[in-house]
Amino acid sequence: MTGTVLVARLDNAGDVLLAGPAIRAVAAGAREVVLLTGPHGGAAAQLLPGVDQVLQWRAPWIDPDPLPLKRPHVDRLVSLVEKTAPELALIFTSFHQSSLPLALLLRLAGVPRIAAISEDYPGSLLDVRHIVDETVDVPEAVRMLDLARAAGFELPSGDDGALAVRRPLPSVHQFTGPPGYVVVHPGTSAPARAWPADLHAKTVRDLVFAGARVVVTGDPDEQALTAQVAGAYGSDLGGVTTFPELAAVLAGAAVVVVANTGPAHLAAAVGTPVISLFAPVVPSERWAPYRVPVVLLGDQEAPCRGSRARVCPVPGHPCLSSVTSEQVVDTVLDLMSRRFEARSRAKAGGANTNGGGPGHAASSSGVKEGAR
């Protein structure tokens, strides 16, 4: 049993949630797990099973609006890490991020052993250098779990490796009413991943006309957007819920309509099917909602594919603007119908249909079956 292990994932809430299976593996073999994350990932970190303490630090080489790196900022990180005195650190990164800047600072903080994925030669910065073939797209959760295994940690018996959050979640009946509604989350952390607001609004209206209850969610700085999308038809929860309450709202939904952004992974962590409006600026094989039923909409062969752009580089944003509200509505209603039929069969036959099995991956040009 290892003593204190520092685990780092320095970007956004969705990235932190995807680290959950790897963190549970570490927790199974450590007395204490300290999670170091950025300012946008702290709320998600607090929800992860296996995390004993959360530290926040803004990494200038990862933050989308980076501040200059100055000595006081470095000293703050060194002080935070020194106080926890970890025996080992695992640095989780995406395929396009370097682990070495943080490894250098953790060495300055006295961390004796550090494990990370690094294509670049790390010299004395890493004790466990895990090398992966980055030409092969694998889910981010699997990539991080592979690093945990390379560092000597395995998921405990009975843990299926799906995303998860701490339970119980708070009651949100006062916001949503009974479960079974549709959640529409129109906001994104990058404009290149956003579906147009007017199409979101039309989708909400048409779903309500089709008999569905619709809840629109968003962050405090997205309240103008959620008000526009909810209109006179949906329940507008923009800026209303805490992060644990948002998790509970998503857990009560029959299906969630969302782009490639944090709440898509939060929906996966509570086991709710996702209709993913997915811009191919990053590979869906890595970033689609993990281990839940998912329908992928959007042109995955669009010219922006693999660009990692935050602002769409193609006039007209064709990868997502080509998706119609009618497609989304039809997909929502079809998925809800199939879930209802599956549950009815399960009740009749005593079978268990819960859990993260094969999902349904689709593009705007067709549907295919696949496991995430």
Side-chain angles (χ1 to χ4, degrees), residues 341-354:
E341 292 173 359
R343 287 177 174 175
S344 297
R345 288 195 300 269
K347 287 181 180 179
N352 180 11
T353 60
N354 293 329

Side-chain angles (χ1 to χ4, degrees), residues 60-73:
W61 60 91
I62 289 180
D63 196 277
D65 299 305
L67 299 175
L69 181 61
K70 296 183 178 180
R71 184 58 181 267
H73 193 48

Side-chain angles (χ1 to χ4, degrees), residues 211-364:
R213 289 183 295 127
V214 181
V215 171
V216 181
T217 57
D219 293 337
D221 60 355
E222 296 170 340
Q223 287 179 308
L225 173 62
T226 60
Q228 176 187 351
V229 169
Y233 305 97
S235 298
D236 181 10
L237 297 186
V240 172
T241 58
T242 64
F243 200 79
E245 288 171 339
L246 176 60
V249 170
L250 297 174
V255 62
V256 177
V257 178
V258 62
N260 178 25
T261 193
H265 304 299
L266 187 56
V270 296
T272 301
V274 176
I275 294 174
S276 176
L277 295 156
F278 198 98
V281 291
V282 293
S284 62
E285 292 84 0
R286 292 181 182 266
W287 293 102
Y290 183 65
R291 295 283 296 276
V292 292
V294 56
V295 180
L296 205 67
L297 297 179
D299 181 2
Q300 300 305 297
E301 303 299 324
C304 65
R305 181 182 180 184
S307 65
R308 304 207 309 267
R310 293 185 58 81
V311 177
C312 184
V314 183
H317 196 29
C319 67
L320 287 184
S321 62
S322 59
V323 179
T324 67
S325 59
E326 288 79 10
Q327 279 180 284
V328 176
V329 170
D330 289 346
T331 306
V332 169
L333 297 177
D334 178 64
L335 184 55
M336 292 177 70
S337 174
R338 285 193 280 117
R339 289 197 78 203
F340 177 78
E341 292 173 359
R343 287 177 174 175
S344 297
R345 288 195 300 269
K347 287 181 180 179
N352 180 11
T353 60
N354 293 329
H360 300 278
S363 70
S364 56

